[in-house]
């Protein structure tokens, strides 16, 4: 769908006019393009609080990103130590001395705060970010790494929890399409930082900001994979894949190497065949709420040797204020958006349709986090998706399967095009990017969780909402 306001605001005349009357100018976000490297291109400044343990994985990840020039902030206490670490890992890292007057620009700022033990030591954040935060390039990336607070005690837990407030506030300040994220990592699981660093330091996370991801020990090592085709040899199922976000997910998973089964209801057969044809996938014409749907999906899984990735994307809205809501609206939304998913997961796992290394990813919504007027049925179903992630993460972890949710905010699709104009405009602008996201933004986030590199990420809910004001 097109965003006319954004197009006019970015024209040369529009820029001058909108700027003069202080209207927001939504930046044209830099998204990944075919042929492009997956990392952001430009200078990345790294830093770490004393005693931090994530920095080795940060440096090792950046070593694999020749398009990122690494620099270390020279006027922090442990700069020499960081330089030495970088040298040992074979990363060439310049020294950068912060200077208010210079015109250095940074495409990325990465700070490892895992060593912070109490609120006093949070000062390390100010020391690192204060001199450089105004030097961010357009669509830059900020990543803070912390230690999982729930696994800490006392002052360390307090201080680590504080990183959320810091990162989310930074996300709201930095503008110009820049994003800020926080990754909490368990002690000993630092290698699991590689996947979130790859995603958050890439143009693929263009519309994701203010998010918190938890990384934990994976339990087993993923087989070798290629970062450029991480899903090669994998089989994926995408429900509701004939259009909108589902079609984008199918395309991105196929781009990453997966063979995709695209599922949708029989009336969508033409669109379904078109999507499958474009990506060399196959189709399953099925209503996921049908009594035999779990068995049909499990049989299909058996036929192809099991699914590695299942994306529960099919979803509907049937909006009405609760007092006016017919019973059938309630039943339909709850059945499609959550109950069917539980039945499908149960049958797939019971029948061996998904095994070790499996990925289940479900689409929640900002309405399931913040609630929304006229959407008691939808909000309930999408909060239930978050409940599903929480309820099954431990049981599935024992089987080597991860389960995560992606919660879109305002995404430009047929679903949102149908919203009345004023409500649509409000939804579009009420976020730190002043614009709606694209289906591909949701799809890239799904692909991030689907990657073999994300074995240590489970039980997460990541919003793809440009840091929307609702539910932040
Ligand atoms: P869409 O209506 O364009 O696509 C949904 C697809 O699901 C359709 O192809 C539909 O036929 C299919 N589907 C519906 N019921 C089905 C059933 N019983 N069995 C099989 N397939 C079924 O919607 P979209 O905007 O692409 O949304 C995709 C997902 O993202 C949904 O879960 C939606 O709730 C969620 N979401 C969307 C937005 C947004 O801004 N568009 C925001 C938050 C969440």
């Amino acid at each position: 769908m097109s965003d006319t306001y954004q197009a006019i605001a970015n024209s040369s005349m529009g820029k001058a006019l909108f700027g003069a009357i202080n209207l927001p100018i939504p930046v044209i976000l830099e998204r990944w393009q075919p042929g492009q490297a997956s990392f952001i291109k430009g200078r990345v400044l790294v830093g770490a609080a004393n005693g931090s343990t994530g920095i080795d994985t940060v440096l090792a990840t950046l070593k694999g990103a020749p398009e990122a020039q690494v620099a270390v902030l020279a006027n922090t206490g442990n700069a020499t130590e960081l330089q030495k670490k970088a040298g040992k890992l074979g990363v060439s890292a310049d020294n950068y001395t912060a200077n208010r007057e210079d015109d250095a620009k940074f495409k990325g700022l990465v700070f490892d705060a895992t060593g912070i033990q109490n609120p006093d030591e949070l000062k390390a954040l100010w020391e690192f970010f204060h001199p450089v935060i105004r030097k961010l390039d357009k669509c830059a990336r900020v990543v803070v790494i912390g230690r999982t607070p729930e696994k800490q005690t006392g002052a360390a837990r307090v201080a680590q929890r504080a990183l959320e407030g810091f990162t989310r506030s930074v996300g709201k300040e930095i503008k110009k399409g820049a994003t800020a994220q926080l990754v909490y990592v368990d002690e000993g699981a630092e290698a699991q930082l590689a996947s979130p660093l790859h995603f958050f330091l890439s143009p693929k996370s263009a519309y994701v900001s203010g998010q918190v991801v938890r990384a934990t020990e994976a339990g087993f090592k993923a087989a070798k994979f290629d970062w450029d085709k991480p899903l090669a040899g994998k089989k994926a199922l995408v429900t509701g894949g004939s259009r909108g976000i589902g079609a984008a997910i199918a395309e991105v998973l196929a781009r990453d190497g997966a063979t995709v089964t695209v599922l949708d209801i029989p009336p969508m057969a033409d669109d379904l065949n078109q999507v499958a044809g474009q990506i060399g996938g196959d189709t399953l014409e099925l209503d996921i709420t049908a009594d035999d749907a779990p068995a049909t999906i499990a049989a299909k899984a058996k036929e192809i040797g099991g699914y590695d990735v299942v994306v529960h994307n099919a979803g509907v809205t049937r909006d009405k204020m609760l007092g006016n809501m017919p019973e059938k609206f309630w039943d339909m939304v709850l059945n499609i958006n959550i109950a069917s998913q539980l039945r499908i997961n149960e049958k797939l796992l019971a029948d061996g349709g998904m095994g070790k290394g499996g990925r289940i990813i479900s689409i929640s919504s900002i309405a399931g986090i913040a609630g929304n007027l006229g959407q008691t049925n939808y909000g309930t179903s999408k909060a239930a998706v978050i409940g599903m992630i929480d309820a099954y993460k431990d049981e599935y972890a024992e089987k080597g399967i991860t389960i995560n949710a992606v919660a879109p905010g305002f995404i430009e699709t047929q679903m949102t095009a149908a919203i009345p104009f004023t409500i649509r405009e409000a939804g579009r602008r009420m976020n730190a990017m002043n614009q709606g996201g694209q289906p591909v933004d949701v799809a890239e986030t799904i692909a991030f969780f689907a990657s073999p590199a994300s074995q240590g990420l489970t039980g997460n809910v990541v919003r793809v909402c440009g840091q929307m004001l609702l539910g932040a």
Side-chain angles (χ1 to χ4, degrees):
M1 302 303 125
S2 72
D3 180 345
T4 315
Y5 177 97
Q6 184 183 36
I8 298 172
N10 277 284
S11 66
S12 51
M13 203 169 80
K15 261 192 183 137
L17 181 68
F18 283 42
I21 50 176
N22 248 343
L23 281 172
I25 300 176
V27 165
I28 307 274
L29 299 180
E30 291 170 5
R31 292 187 167 88
W32 183 86
Q33 301 296 331
Q36 193 183 339
S38 65
F39 276 99
I40 43 169
K41 205 171 167 197
R43 269 184 10 137
V44 178
L45 189 71
V46 298
N50 289 330
S52 293
T53 58
I55 192 71
D56 291 47
T57 309
V58 172
L59 291 166
T61 304
L62 289 170
K63 188 183 172 188
E67 49 286 291
Q69 297 102 48
V70 183
V72 167
L73 194 59
N75 45 344
T76 48
N78 56 10
T80 321
E81 197 190 318
L82 287 188
Q83 282 287 1
K84 265 197 203 145
K85 265 187 201 268
K88 260 195 205 152
L89 286 161
V91 183
S92 86
D94 294 345
N95 258 319
Y96 171 71
T97 309
N99 173 355
R100 254 172 136 47
E101 278 70 51
D102 71 25
D103 54 6
K105 284 264 184 244
F106 291 99
K107 198 71 180 180
L109 300 176
V110 183
F111 189 73
D112 180 2
T114 51
I116 291 180
Q117 296 294 323
N118 57 58
D120 289 339
E121 291 176 11
L122 288 167
K123 180 80 178 282
L125 296 168
W126 183 85
E127 284 166 353
F128 178 77
F129 286 101
H130 167 74
V132 291
I133 199 72
R134 286 201 279 209
K135 296 175 183 292
L136 286 184
D137 217 343
K138 188 181 159 221
C139 299
R141 300 284 183 262
V142 173
V143 179
V144 176
I145 299 165
R147 182 72 77 219
T148 319
E150 301 80 49
K151 296 188 178 159
Q152 303 282 293
T153 53
R157 183 167 178 159
V158 173
Q160 289 297 328
R161 178 62 180 77
L163 299 177
E164 277 199 30
F166 176 78
T167 313
R168 290 197 162 129
S169 301
V170 166
K172 289 184 175 176
E173 279 190 13
I174 49 185
K175 310 276 183 219
K176 288 194 290 181
T179 67
Q181 332 283 353
L182 170 62
V183 186
Y184 279 132
V185 64
D186 287 354
E187 205 164 345
E190 285 79 2
Q192 305 302 327
L193 289 168
S195 186
L197 284 167
H198 267 85
F199 182 56
F200 291 141
L201 294 176
S202 101
K204 293 178 178 173
S205 54
Y207 196 63
V208 181
S209 192
Q211 298 309 293
V212 182
V213 162
R214 284 168 166 73
T216 187
E217 197 37 81
F220 76 95
K221 231 177 139 70
K224 267 203 168 325
F225 62 90
D226 174 355
W227 283 100
D228 289 330
K229 276 262 182 261
L231 299 179
K234 305 278 184 194
K235 280 155 272 175
L237 171 72
V238 180
T239 70
S242 71
R243 66 177 203 187
I245 294 173
I249 295 168
E251 279 160 25
V252 169
L253 297 183
R255 174 204 72 190
D256 281 357
T259 307
V260 185
T261 305
V262 213
L263 178 156
D264 215 301
I265 47 174
M268 299 298 287
D270 286 352
D271 291 353
L272 199 55
N273 284 323
Q274 201 183 337
V275 173
Q278 273 163 5
I279 61 169
D282 60 2
T283 62
L284 202 50
E285 288 174 34
L286 184 68
D287 181 334
I288 53 168
T289 62
D291 289 345
D292 61 352
T296 307
I297 293 171
K300 176 84 184 176
K302 201 169 238 170
E303 184 191 313
I304 60 164
Y307 283 114
D308 303 286
V309 181
V310 169
V311 183
H312 292 295
N313 162 77
V316 290
T317 50
R318 284 294 179 278
D319 299 354
K320 276 274 178 220
M321 299 298 274
L322 185 56
N324 295 330
M325 185 177 293
E327 186 181 357
K328 63 176 187 208
F329 276 21
W330 180 271
D331 291 346
M332 182 188 187
V333 168
L334 269 289
N335 200 5
I336 294 174
N337 293 5
I338 182 64
S340 65
Q341 298 186 16
L342 294 183
R343 294 193 294 265
I344 291 166
N345 293 347
E346 192 185 356
K347 181 74 177 159
L348 256 183
L349 267 64
D351 282 13
M354 174 174 276
K356 216 172 182 181
R359 302 278 186 270
I360 297 174
I361 307 145
S362 182
I363 315 276
S364 177
S365 164
I366 206 81
I369 297 172
N372 203 16
L373 195 86
Q375 292 199 317
T376 48
N377 51 357
Y378 187 73
T380 304
S381 71
K382 294 298 187 179
V385 166
I386 297 173
M388 173 174 81
I389 302 316
D390 213 32
Y392 290 95
K393 62 178 196 284
D394 296 334
E395 184 188 325
Y396 290 0
E398 284 168 21
K399 301 180 201 294
I401 295 170
T402 68
I403 180 163
N404 293 286
V406 171
F410 185 99
I411 306 297
E412 306 280 356
T413 64
Q414 292 182 27
M415 199 188 233
T416 48
I419 300 172
F421 176 78
T422 39
I423 302 177
R424 187 167 76 234
E425 252 328 89
R428 236 183 208 154
R429 307 289 163 220
M430 258 195 317
N431 59 69
M433 313 260 171
N434 298 120
Q435 60 192 289
Q438 296 295 329
V440 71
D441 299 325
V442 181
E444 296 284 15
T445 313
I446 303 271
F448 155 56
F449 281 127
S451 164
S454 295
Q455 190 59 42
L457 308 181
T458 195
N460 285 285
V461 181
V462 164
R463 287 183 287 128
V464 181
C465 64
Q467 207 178 10
M468 203 182 216
L469 301 179
L470 294 179

